[in-house]
Amino acid sequence: MAEIKTTDISPAEFMERNREPITFVIIDVRERIEFQTFNIGGQNIPLGILLKDPEELEDLKNKEVIVICQHGLRSETARRFLFMNGYKNVRNLHGGIMALRKLNY
């Protein structure tokens, strides 16, 4: 059985894993204007929308999902919410996009 991960993923691990063919789903929970200004890909679902309708992601319940935001705070809220709603393999990008940018991602 695969290990259940519900913790942070470090920026360095995220970068390393992103060099391989992507085996996880990225959900960016920032507001649309933030996403349009700068993003690293993934699906943009602002936190307020995600909290109202987690069923929109129902097909991702058994996949690895990495939630991201600017600093890692909103994405941690999203991670906890998704975990409480049955998503068993959800990770938060520790430090968010700002931490990735410090590593020149």
Side-chain angles (χ1 to χ4, degrees):
M1 186 173 160
E3 178 184 351
I4 294 175
K5 294 184 179 180
T6 59
T7 59
D8 284 350
I9 183 171
S10 71
E13 181 184 353
F14 181 86
M15 287 175 58
E16 183 65 33
R17 298 243 350 254
N18 229 5
R19 288 187 183 117
E20 305 164 6
I22 295 181
T23 58
F24 53 86
V25 177
I26 299 170
I27 304 294
D28 188 325
V29 297
R30 296 175 302 150
E31 295 300 317
R32 295 205 191 292
I33 189 71
E34 293 173 282
F35 184 79
Q36 291 170 350
T37 302
F38 177 83
N39 70 77
I40 60 171
Q43 213 176 331
N44 178 226
I45 304 174
L47 182 60
I49 293 170
L50 180 86
L51 295 176
K52 290 179 185 171
D53 191 15
E55 290 80 30
E56 180 180 335
L57 301 173
E58 190 72 26
D59 59 325
L60 302 179
K61 272 197 172 177
N62 296 312
K63 296 186 181 195
E64 181 179 11
V65 175
I66 299 176
V67 286
I68 63 172
C69 69
Q70 194 72 11
H71 296 281
L73 301 174
R74 287 176 280 182
S75 52
E76 175 59 15
T77 300
R79 184 200 63 79
R80 289 176 187 219
F81 178 78
L82 289 171
F83 180 72
M84 290 184 340
N85 281 278
Y87 297 78
K88 300 298 182 199
N89 200 3
V90 182
R91 301 179 78 188
N92 174 38
L93 176 61
H94 182 74
I97 289 174
M98 294 305 292
L100 282 179
R101 292 183 89 170
K102 286 180 183 176
L103 295 176
N104 294 318
Y105 183 79

